[in-house]
Amino acid sequence: MLSFLLDEHISPTVAEQISYKRPEISIFPLITWQKGRYLGYSDEIVLKAAAEARLTLVTYDQNSIPSLLWEWGEAWKSHSGVIFIDYESIPPSNFGLLIRSLLALWELQGKQDWTNRLVYLKPKV
């Protein structure tokens, strides 16, 4: 089952609106998840914590996360999935587009196993 952990660069408003529209979806902004415990931590620690909680990380970070996932793959370390977002196709300030896109992805693939999955979020206009 797909459950989201929004990285610290995604507004908590996105999680609030998705929870309002679809209360059955588990979605947590990093800024409030675990009382903000993982704010400022390395990508590796956040990804490990997300995996332990069976949460799929939603992030705009296409610089450091891909190399980390490559390392994990070579070491046979599992994660609970990563959803990459492109700044140009879904700007961080466009909450509506981001919310619609995450909801559409959840509708299509929310019941699937997200272990070790990587997805680029497509804009749902």
Side-chain angles (χ1 to χ4, degrees):
M1 179 72 94
L2 178 58
S3 299
F4 301 109
L5 177 62
L6 306 179
D7 81 6
E8 61 189 82
H9 303 291
I10 299 174
S11 172
T13 300
V14 173
E16 291 166 8
Q17 289 297 310
I18 287 176
S19 292
Y20 176 76
K21 292 173 187 286
R22 299 295 300 271
E24 69 274 21
I25 297 176
S26 296
I27 182 165
F28 307 94
L30 188 65
I31 198 165
T32 59
W33 182 62
Q34 304 265 334
K35 298 182 181 176
R37 175 180 175 190
Y38 293 98
L39 282 177
Y41 276 68
S42 71
D43 293 333
E44 184 165 13
I45 291 172
V46 171
L47 195 59
K48 182 179 180 198
E52 289 170 359
R54 300 185 53 88
L55 297 172
T56 298
L57 182 64
V58 181
T59 184
Y60 281 94
D61 183 356
Q62 295 182 48
N63 292 320
S64 61
I65 299 285
S67 60
L68 176 61
L69 293 173
W70 184 268
E71 290 173 24
W72 280 32
E74 288 182 333
W76 295 96
K77 288 173 75 173
S78 288
H79 56 84
S80 292
V82 176
I83 299 169
F84 289 107
I85 310 168
D86 179 66
Y87 282 101
E88 291 185 27
S89 61
I90 305 174
S93 59
N94 191 339
F95 296 170
L97 181 57
L98 180 52
I99 291 164
R100 285 191 307 277
S101 302
L102 286 171
L103 287 171
L105 177 66
W106 192 86
E107 285 294 325
L108 287 174
Q109 301 180 29
K111 296 190 189 296
Q112 296 177 9
D113 178 15
W114 275 76
T115 304
N116 296 325
R117 288 191 62 195
L118 304 175
V119 170
Y120 279 86
L121 188 63
K122 294 179 181 167
K124 177 68 174 170
V125 190

